[in-house]
Amino acid sequence: MARRGTRSSTYVRRAVRHDRHGRSQRSAATGPHLPPLKNRIDTFDMTVAAAADFLRATWPDELRNVRFEVGNMPVGEQNGEGVARWWTSSTERRVVIYRLPIQRLSKLHRDDELHQRMMIESCVFRATAELIGKDPWDLGPDRFNF
């Protein structure tokens, strides 16, 4: 009777990664079989990015080299009008949208995902209009026709 190869010749050891403390690495929180976690910060960032992409496609000459950024809170003293929702600088070609004032201080008549997204987009549109000196409704005229 012929003997098959020994176990050591057919066994392949799986590589185990260890960190500097000798522990193995942990797997991802969601794993490959679950969708990625959805949170308010990522949703806010994606909404700002989508609105900025739309505006750049609609107004390519006016928004060339404009940076859209997301900040947590405005820094420094506030004016008498309340907490700023955005900041623009025409010399730096920069628009900063502040996440916390928009998410926490905006009074929505219906607090659902659609109305939150519309509030974020309206802030991006108003900030961009302020930067380029146009009316916010002129930035996407075909977007609001139903």
Side-chain angles (χ1 to χ4, degrees), residues 88-131:
T88 61
S89 172
S90 57
T91 56
E92 296 178 29
R93 306 290 294 162
R94 202 170 137 201
V95 175
V96 180
I97 307 294
Y98 296 118
R99 181 179 59 82
L100 292 175
I102 293 171
Q103 287 181 332
R104 295 187 179 168
L105 300 177
S106 299
K107 295 181 179 19
L108 301 173
H109 68 281
R110 181 175 282 168
D111 195 16
D112 60 357
E113 192 173 322
L114 172 66
H115 288 84
Q116 290 169 0
R117 191 179 82 228
M118 289 171 54
M119 173 56 75
I120 298 165
E121 288 177 348
S122 72
C123 289
V124 174
F125 270 64
R126 289 186 283 164
T128 305
E130 182 180 303
L131 178 75

Side-chain angles (χ1 to χ4, degrees), residues 74 76-85 105:
E77 292 184 27
Q78 299 298 313
N79 55 16
E81 299 174 8
V83 180
R85 305 308 198 257
L105 300 177

Side-chain angles (χ1 to χ4, degrees), residues 22-75:
R23 298 182 205 115
S24 62
Q25 290 182 346
R26 295 181 176 153
S27 63
T30 59
H33 57 284
L34 296 173
L37 297 173
K38 185 176 177 182
N39 60 27
R40 291 183 311 207
I41 295 172
D42 292 339
T43 303
F44 189 92
D45 291 346
M46 290 187 316
T47 304
V48 170
D53 288 343
F54 172 81
L55 289 169
R56 279 192 183 114
T58 308
W59 299 91
D61 296 333
E62 289 83 355
L63 297 177
R64 182 173 294 122
N65 301 326
V66 172
R67 291 185 323 196
F68 289 86
E69 301 173 10
V70 175
N72 286 330
M73 282 289 293
V75 180

